[in-house]
Amino acid sequence: MAAAQGRFSDGADGVDGAKESSVPLPFRRAVDGLRKARLRSGIEIDPTKPPQRLAPYAYALEAAVVDGEDDLADGRLILLHDPAGHDAWQGTFRLVTLVRAELEPEMAADPLLPEVCWSWLTGALEARGLAYGEPGGTVTRAGSYYFGGLGDRPPATQIEIRASWTPREGVGGVPDTSAHLAAWCELLCQIAGLPPAGPAEGAPGVVSLPQRRGPHHP
């Protein structure tokens, strides 16, 4: 697992005191919260380049649920911040995600699958008592059928969740990004077919993101 470095969306190269001091303190603290999150084992998570135009400041992580050499599910989580606020967000922070996995045939055939997948996201947030607003997203189920030289492969069904929500800000205008990341990882595990995590924080099998001194510019 690589250290979570962080990247801002302003395209600056390198980090120095002046540049880092120009980054809003609430955003720096929110990124620190992501780095300090305690996550389930079996999740590999790394920083990745965030989008450039969605917000003045952005930080992105990509993750996969792994079993040996197999990826059971993968996804991306992006933290956006606009100090001036955003009408559509109803806040200054926004979390945006993409999660996807290949499904077992029995699950793929369930007509309630989209509603269930969406409830995994909202349920994971609510299970941690997280306040959030303006949720929105899509759940897409797509089937693949193989022909010709690939005709011996069985049909496959993929599920994809695209979602975003506004994490409510706490002390100092900073949302609890650590808890939001843990909830998102629980969604990733559920779509991968793993059972819910145990209730004990810091129990064996729980890992933390490596930490660095401060956010990185790309």
Side-chain angles (χ1 to χ4, degrees):
M1 183 186 298
Q5 314 172 52
R7 295 172 173 88
F8 295 118
S9 61
D10 59 8
D13 187 16
V15 176
D16 59 43
K19 289 179 180 177
E20 187 167 343
S21 65
S22 69
V23 176
L25 181 59
F27 182 68
R28 281 186 277 156
R29 288 179 172 171
V31 171
D32 285 342
L34 294 175
R35 294 197 182 107
K36 295 173 181 176
R38 300 186 64 81
L39 309 179
R40 290 177 61 168
S41 61
I43 298 176
E44 294 184 355
I45 190 163
D46 289 286
T48 188
K49 186 175 182 179
Q52 300 292 309
R53 298 180 178 86
L54 294 182
Y57 302 95
Y59 181 90
L61 295 168
E62 58 186 6
V65 180
V66 297
D67 180 17
E69 296 183 356
D70 296 327
D71 285 1
L72 304 181
D74 63 78
R76 192 180 195 213
L77 184 69
I78 304 167
L79 175 67
L80 303 175
H81 179 55
D82 187 342
H86 196 293
D87 289 342
W89 302 353
Q90 294 296 300
T92 63
F93 285 92
R94 189 76 172 171
L95 285 163
V96 181
T97 186
L98 165 66
V99 172
R100 57 197 173 192
E102 188 167 317
L103 299 177
E104 296 294 332
E106 296 80 7
M107 180 179 286
D110 188 341
L112 296 178
L113 178 66
E115 289 82 358
V116 170
C117 288
W118 184 257
S119 74
W120 286 342
L121 171 60
T122 57
L125 294 169
E126 291 162 6
R128 288 166 174 75
L130 293 170
Y132 65 96
E134 309 304 319
T138 61
V139 178
T140 304
R141 175 171 42 188
S144 298
Y145 300 86
Y146 300 94
F147 301 94
L150 302 178
D152 58 342
R153 296 187 182 183
T157 302
Q158 296 80 34
I159 194 76
E160 180 182 276
I161 303 172
R162 294 179 180 268
S164 63
W165 65 96
T166 298
R168 293 307 184 203
E169 299 160 13
V171 178
V174 183
D176 187 353
T177 50
S178 178
H180 280 273
L181 176 56
W184 178 75
C185 286
E186 188 60 33
L187 165 66
L188 200 63
C189 289
Q190 285 188 288
I191 200 173
L194 300 185
E201 283 284 331
V206 177
V207 298
S208 298
L209 279 174
Q211 298 179 36
R212 292 170 64 94
R213 289 179 298 173
H216 240 292
H217 293 267

